[in-house]
Amino acid sequence: MNIKQAKEEIKNAVTAYLAKDGFGEYKIPVVRQRPLLLMGAPGIGKTAIMEQVARDCNIALVAYSITHHTRQSAIGLPFIQHKHYGGKEYAVTEYTMSEIIASVYEKMEETGLCEGILFLDEINCVSETLAPAMLQFLQAKTFGAHKVPEGWIIVAAGNPPEYNKSVREFDVVTLDRVKKIEVSPDFAAWKEYAWKQGLHGAVLSYLEIKKNHFYAMETTVDGKRFATARGWEDLSNMLQVYEELGIAVDETLIIQYLQHTKIAKDFANYFDLYCKYRTDYRIGEILSGHIPAGAMEKLQNAPFDERLSVMGLLLSRLTEDFTAADTADLKTTILHGYLKELKERFAVAEPMQAISAVLVAEWKKYEKEKAANLMDQHTAQANLGALQTLEGYAQAVKAAGLQDAAEVFADLKARFAQEVQAREDAIAYAANALDNAFVFLEDAFGEGQEMVIFITELTENYFSVKFISQNGSEKYYRYNKALLFEEKQRSILEDIERAKSETLLF
């Protein structure tokens, strides 16, 4: 199965394991809650989906790469304990608590969450001295003498032997006590995640053209050559920061992440073209409704891969606008919640005391949820922005010397109205950009295969789907209805694949 399907399997298992009956007992007894064993090639996103599952289920996550541990850190250190049996004193060897188990309790203290996932990566690559402890862990959910707390679900991950010489095969006794899930690389599933994470448009449009370069693992006389999902994501982050800082991107940087020489060289050449297309077509002007002279004719006569790249540029820029609108909307919603609470507090407390109390409580909540990894980066940024804005409100009220509750609340409402207007402006800007993208593409290609690709990408993009569902888009609905019914879509996509094979050589 692909990584998206694996996520749903894990999420369903976690939901089932944590379900309780009317007496507060787990419906599936802890002894029957099999650890989940996630097996798949390295770098396909196993750790990332654990973070997502924990966040979706509102539970904590403790993650370890077990290869970094020794037998002592995993099961604890021995010490001598004196006990009495039959009237005689004996020296008995016991063990301190495992560092891993202790981390679970620390996470519970830190976050206030009593349920969670204990995730151990590379579990089949442990040292020989630790292997028996790992088998005991999977079979009995204990490290040494200490059990994993109830409400904590064990998920382990490992790599197949073809990817790691240190892999140890699990015996049937162990495998019969786990819920095994095998995961394979899949670009389509990963792309949904990539759009939501805001990966660089060059990475996404390149992989749309060269899907077979998404995940590659080869053994040569010079060693392993590979490109992985992890490598593409990390490279994307570096590309974005380099561009912000004005640092040139070259093949030397790219090959540090894509350790497959041919793919790295190919992407380096593509990235240069991508940057050239961004300059030549002036995407910002197109989305503002001012199509540069000659851009239409140039695109109409361009080869297929150049057309895909330009659409990738349009989609990347639109995604930035959709994301900005969503952030503004989320921030405004959070601020509105603060104001509702303040209105209630003003009835029983001094305005500045009420504002201070809300700020203290909300900052604690933010820090706690951030520590528990219950917010993704986008949500965290919106929450942080709302808190900083409320602090700004408080400083403004204090500087103005306002004390009357009615006056203070009127001032807060007036300031909040500016945030509402900023949200409306962000939504209008994104909607206008989307309409202008449609105008450009329909003038260039009509209802051709390029429009099908554009509609399909919008439909697979988390932020575009969310934006359109909340704010509408007459052109999207019209083209979606006209172009994407089953038979016509299949026929056109077959033409696309045929065109790729004819015009795009490795």
Side-chain angles (χ1 to χ4, degrees), residues 184-379:
S184 301
D186 183 278
F187 172 65
W190 179 81
K191 187 170 67 172
E192 292 183 37
Y193 161 83
W195 275 123
K196 189 172 182 180
Q197 296 300 115
L199 264 66
H200 198 290
V203 169
L204 290 169
S205 58
Y206 172 80
L207 291 176
E208 188 62 40
I209 297 169
K210 302 285 184 71
K211 292 185 176 67
N212 60 317
H213 291 181
F214 166 61
Y215 196 96
M217 189 76 64
E218 297 177 6
T219 302
T220 69
V221 293
D222 298 320
K224 291 281 189 183
R225 299 195 308 172
F226 57 89
T228 68
R230 181 191 294 125
W232 284 112
E233 183 170 3
D234 291 347
L235 173 61
S236 169
N237 292 335
M238 187 59 79
L239 293 176
Q240 290 167 332
V241 174
Y242 265 45
E243 288 185 333
E244 289 175 7
L245 298 176
I247 302 174
V249 174
D250 57 21
E251 185 182 317
T252 304
L253 171 71
I254 292 169
I255 203 166
Q256 295 167 20
Y257 293 89
L258 307 178
Q259 297 181 47
H260 189 295
T261 308
K262 287 185 178 180
I263 293 178
K265 287 179 178 292
D266 196 50
F267 179 71
N269 292 333
Y270 176 82
F271 186 77
D272 289 341
L273 286 173
Y274 184 87
C275 294
K276 181 179 183 298
Y277 297 151
R278 184 163 50 193
T279 301
D280 290 351
Y281 286 95
R282 291 182 283 182
I283 300 300
E285 293 183 30
I286 291 173
L287 294 180
S288 66
H290 305 290
I291 300 175
M296 189 80 66
E297 295 77 8
K298 178 177 172 59
L299 187 60
Q300 289 172 334
N301 297 318
F304 188 71
D305 57 339
E306 183 171 336
R307 297 182 190 185
L308 283 179
S309 298
V310 172
M311 282 189 288
L313 284 162
L314 289 169
L315 287 160
S316 181
R317 181 63 180 272
L318 284 170
T319 300
E320 292 178 12
D321 296 338
F322 296 148
T323 305
D326 190 63
T327 301
D329 182 63
L330 182 55
K331 177 185 173 184
T332 304
T333 301
I334 295 168
L335 277 171
H336 184 254
Y338 293 165
L339 262 62
K340 286 179 64 178
E341 184 175 355
L342 285 172
K343 187 175 183 180
E344 295 176 0
R345 286 177 178 261
F346 282 3
V348 294
E350 293 292 326
M352 288 306 301
Q353 290 179 346
I355 296 173
S356 178
V358 168
L359 276 169
V360 169
E362 292 299 329
W363 271 114
K364 285 182 178 179
K365 179 183 176 183
Y366 169 79
E367 295 294 346
K368 201 166 190 177
E369 291 188 0
K370 188 177 179 182
N373 197 37
L374 295 180
M375 293 186 288
D376 58 24
Q377 185 178 7
H378 176 67
T379 305

Side-chain angles (χ1 to χ4, degrees), residues 447-462:
E447 296 185 1
Q449 59 188 17
E450 291 81 4
M451 187 64 81
V452 173
I453 295 172
F454 186 68
I455 291 290
T456 303
E457 291 296 309
L458 286 175
T459 305
E460 294 177 349
N461 184 323
Y462 171 83

Side-chain angles (χ1 to χ4, degrees), residues 58-78:
N58 200 39
I59 58 178
L61 173 68
V62 172
Y64 273 100
S65 178
I66 201 63
T67 54
H68 300 160
H69 282 272
T70 64
R71 184 174 183 276
Q72 287 74 25
S73 64
I75 70 172
L77 293 170

Side-chain angles (χ1 to χ4, degrees), residues 33-55:
Q33 294 181 6
R34 290 190 173 199
L36 283 74
L37 179 60
L38 200 60
M39 296 296 293
I44 61 174
K46 296 188 289 290
T47 304
I49 66 166
M50 297 318 307
E51 295 173 350
Q52 295 169 39
V53 169
R55 192 178 300 127

